[in-house]
Amino acid sequence: MDTFSKSDPVVILYIQGTADKEWREFGRTEVIDNTLNPEFVRKFVLDYYFEEKQNLRFDVYNVDSKTSNLPKSGFLGQAYMALGEVIGSQRGRLERPLTGVPGKKCGTIVLFAEELSNCRDIITMQLCANKLDKKDFFGKSDPFLVFYRSNEDGTFTICHKTEVVKNNLNPVWQPFSIPVRALCNGDYDRTVKIDVFDWDRDGSHDFIGEFATSYRELSRAQNQFTVYEVSNPRKKCKKKKYVNSGTVTLLSFAVQSEYTFVDYIRGGTQLNFTVAIDFTASNGIPSQPTSLHYMSPYQLSSYAMALKAVGEIIQDYDSDKLFPAYGFGAKVPPDGKVSHQFPLNHNPDNPSCEGIEGVLESYFHSLRTVQLYGPTNFAPVINQVARLAAQETDGSQYYVLLIITDGVISDMLQTKEAIVSASSLPMSIIIVGVGPADFLAMEELDGDEVRVSSRGRYAERDIVQFVPFRDYVDHSGNHVLSMARLAKDVLAEIPEQLLSYMKTRDIKPLSASPQ
């Protein structure tokens, strides 16, 4: 497509929705400059469901790599298929003609499908080279390495490229990390082929040589340097006294296990769920239908729906099913003092309720016995849960605080300070906003765009997730759907937040306790 050079192709994968049949972008490969026969390194990892029709569309574009725009004039073709077709094809290899440009042959696209093994180890390694062949007329070579994983049928698939080291026959490449499954799919003796190239601006990189190894062989470098001879078969045939085209030395090799949320839960980590409910007067008088706390005999209030939606999922990860539940912003009997941390069951010695139904029962009881007042203070209940979390930092416990509120926060500075302090603890905070209020301040606490800070100190981790309940209400009145949507989004960040805590503390999953 380019006047003075070859195309710079990129492939975009679209997946078709099951219900609405809309095509949605799933991901893109890297752009490969100046070639008509690109081999892409970036993989698409898809969940495969035997019982579903999973339609895929691959669009190929010629791209100006300086921008991410895809001009219509750069369209090179497209191909449609089902994931099942790729999986079911011989040796997991499917070749399809590209179509979509009238009256023109667009070339072909070749897809390879391989099931990922369950191996979750990640390798970090560093290599250097010595006395590589000089390929450039006016300067030294610009070497880089390309790693290939061998497939079951004897073919090879690119799995990593190093950076280019300019004008150097003795390059030292930066350390890089790669999953074991990408390098050898969990088969430690599978051949790993490594090609050494001299980089050229026009894309016609010169082949310096190659060598082969395996994960098992590479792993021995944990104890000693391993030196590989780089061989160029063509030169070897032509020159009788040919020795090699240089050597590559493995300087370091380390393996680290990548654990999942499920690993920790299976290992015995308990999620401790605490609830805090807003009892400020801005919610309206509970006995009136206009109140956000109104107890209708026909349907749950927004507060009760949010509590039930999140609680019913999270309670499955808490073995004792006992949940501390607090209210804030109300005048509490018998003395009528305003409290920002009163137990919903009115038992200061044991604020825990049995199951989510027990929390709902105590919540309804409190609505009848306390006077809604104000202000809206979050810090006391955050600090209360943080005190508990600070006693259990070994990975055996993880605390999740659900705050349900209707309005503008009154103690923003104190709340920010509490969040920053809690960010170093095994703890996450979910804030659900109910009603029509302006929740701009809550977005600031969420910390997705800008990390929360207090007095010049930034939160160690992002531990807050805020969602406005109104975004999840099903307008047809299907409350089950509303609750399912809310729970899905509200809980989406918890696994990553738990993992980020465990990773920063180098805590591995605990062994499951004997039955």
Side-chain angles (χ1 to χ4, degrees), residues 246-266:
T247 60
V248 170
T249 302
L250 182 62
L251 297 174
S252 64
F253 182 96
V255 184
Q256 188 176 21
S257 287
E258 183 186 55
Y259 298 112
T260 67
F261 176 71
V262 174
D263 288 331
Y264 287 97
I265 298 303
R266 281 182 180 163

Side-chain angles (χ1 to χ4, degrees), residues 51-284:
E51 67 279 9
E52 287 183 20
K53 180 88 167 168
Q54 293 170 270
N55 291 322
L56 313 176
R57 186 182 98 211
F58 294 87
D59 286 8
V60 187
Y61 281 88
N62 172 40
V63 145
D64 176 357
S65 56
K66 295 179 183 65
T67 73
S68 59
N69 295 333
L70 298 173
K72 286 184 180 177
S73 58
F75 181 69
L76 296 174
Q78 64 187 183
Y80 293 80
M81 68 210 63
L83 181 56
E85 289 179 85
V86 191
I87 304 274
S89 58
Q90 197 170 13
R91 298 198 303 259
R93 179 188 186 279
L94 185 69
E95 189 169 328
R96 279 282 163 87
L98 291 168
T99 60
V101 182
K104 189 176 179 185
K105 286 187 176 179
C106 302
T108 57
I109 186 166
V110 184
L111 295 118
F112 298 89
E114 186 170 19
E115 186 177 5
L116 292 178
S117 78
N118 202 28
C119 176
R120 290 193 292 267
D121 288 349
I122 290 180
I123 308 161
T124 301
M125 61 175 127
Q126 184 175 22
L127 300 104
C128 69
N130 192 38
K131 297 181 179 176
L132 292 176
D133 284 354
K134 180 175 176 292
K135 289 287 183 179
D136 293 341
F137 192 72
F138 293 110
K140 297 170 184 172
S141 296
D142 305 322
F144 68 97
L145 303 176
V146 182
F147 285 70
Y148 301 86
R149 179 187 71 237
S150 62
N151 302 314
E152 301 291 345
D153 61 357
T155 59
F156 287 88
T157 302
I158 293 179
C159 55
H160 183 75
K161 285 181 186 176
T162 66
E163 79 281 9
V164 175
V165 178
K166 293 286 186 74
N167 203 32
N168 197 328
L169 300 180
N170 302 294
V172 179
W173 289 281
Q174 291 294 318
F176 68 90
S177 297
I178 183 171
V180 170
R181 61 172 178 261
L183 189 71
C184 65
N185 204 24
D187 177 357
Y188 294 171
D189 295 308
R190 186 179 289 203
T191 301
V192 176
K193 186 165 78 82
I194 298 147
D195 286 351
V196 188
F197 286 98
D198 168 36
W199 178 85
D200 281 328
R201 189 179 300 278
D202 65 2
S204 59
H205 311 306
D206 297 316
F207 178 71
I208 294 175
E210 64 186 8
F211 61 96
T213 183
S214 66
Y215 171 86
R216 198 178 298 281
E217 192 174 292
L218 289 165
S219 65
R220 292 184 190 129
Q222 290 177 94
N223 308 316
Q224 61 188 44
F225 286 167
T226 307
V227 180
Y228 295 96
E229 288 198 34
V230 177
S231 176
N232 187 322
R234 280 189 180 179
K235 286 183 78 172
K236 198 173 184 179
C237 290
K238 288 179 182 177
K239 294 184 178 180
K240 286 184 179 178
K241 293 183 179 179
Y242 176 80
V243 179
N244 60 44
S245 294
T247 60
V248 170
T249 302
L250 182 62
L251 297 174
S252 64
F253 182 96
V255 184
Q256 188 176 21
S257 287
E258 183 186 55
Y259 298 112
T260 67
F261 176 71
V262 174
D263 288 331
Y264 287 97
I265 298 303
R266 281 182 180 163
T269 298
Q270 289 288 304
L271 295 189
N272 294 279
F273 185 46
T274 302
V275 179
I277 295 176
D278 185 336
F279 280 79
T280 55
S282 55
N283 285 283

Side-chain angles (χ1 to χ4, degrees), residues 352-372:
S352 295
C353 305
E354 285 194 29
I356 294 308
E357 292 306 320
V359 176
L360 282 165
E361 203 175 295
S362 296
Y363 159 60
F364 294 142
H365 179 68
S366 286
L367 283 175
R368 299 186 195 98
T369 55
V370 304
Q371 181 190 345
L372 273 60

